[in-house]
Amino acid sequence: MAFTRQEIRDSIERAGDEHWQALTLHHTEAYPESNPTPGDVARAEAARLNELGLGDNPDLELVESRVERVEPAVRITHVFEDRAKGTRFETEPFTGYD
């Protein structure tokens, strides 16, 4: 089943408050510029992961999503558990949303 904006938001929150705060500050501290909102980023990440085919694999579980600020953008790394293999892996860090 494809990822949704809410699932990505939940995975960022599972990574810890500092990750959600990094995403929020990326948007609010850019004023008067207009960086994407946290919801916009979560929606775009859901679409990106779905395009990579990760949302349709029933063996994969999204464990958490880590967010780092790397001005003028954010870097996002997703951690997945492959239930069939009993292993975890991270996606390549994606930098964008500036």
Side-chain angles (χ1 to χ4, degrees), residues 24-36 69 71:
T24 300
L25 290 175
H26 174 67
H27 173 68
T28 59
E29 288 186 353
Y31 185 82
E33 298 297 319
S34 183
N35 284 342
R69 293 181 74 192
E71 295 298 333

Side-chain angles (χ1 to χ4, degrees), residues 31-76:
Y31 185 82
E33 298 297 319
S34 183
N35 284 342
T37 67
D40 292 338
V41 172
R43 185 177 298 107
E45 278 300 288
R48 191 175 73 80
L49 293 177
N50 290 331
E51 287 174 10
L52 293 172
L54 296 171
D56 293 329
N57 187 333
D59 293 328
L60 297 182
E61 177 183 349
L62 180 57
V63 176
E64 66 182 23
S65 299
R66 301 175 187 147
V67 179
E68 299 174 73
R69 293 181 74 192
V70 288
E71 295 298 333
V74 290
R75 179 178 300 133
I76 301 176

Side-chain angles (χ1 to χ4, degrees), residues 7 12 19 22 40 42-43 53-54 59 70 76 82 87 90-91 93:
E7 289 171 317
I12 295 169
H19 296 278
D40 292 338
R43 185 177 298 107
L54 296 171
D59 293 328
V70 288
I76 301 176
D82 186 330
T87 59
E90 295 181 359
T91 60

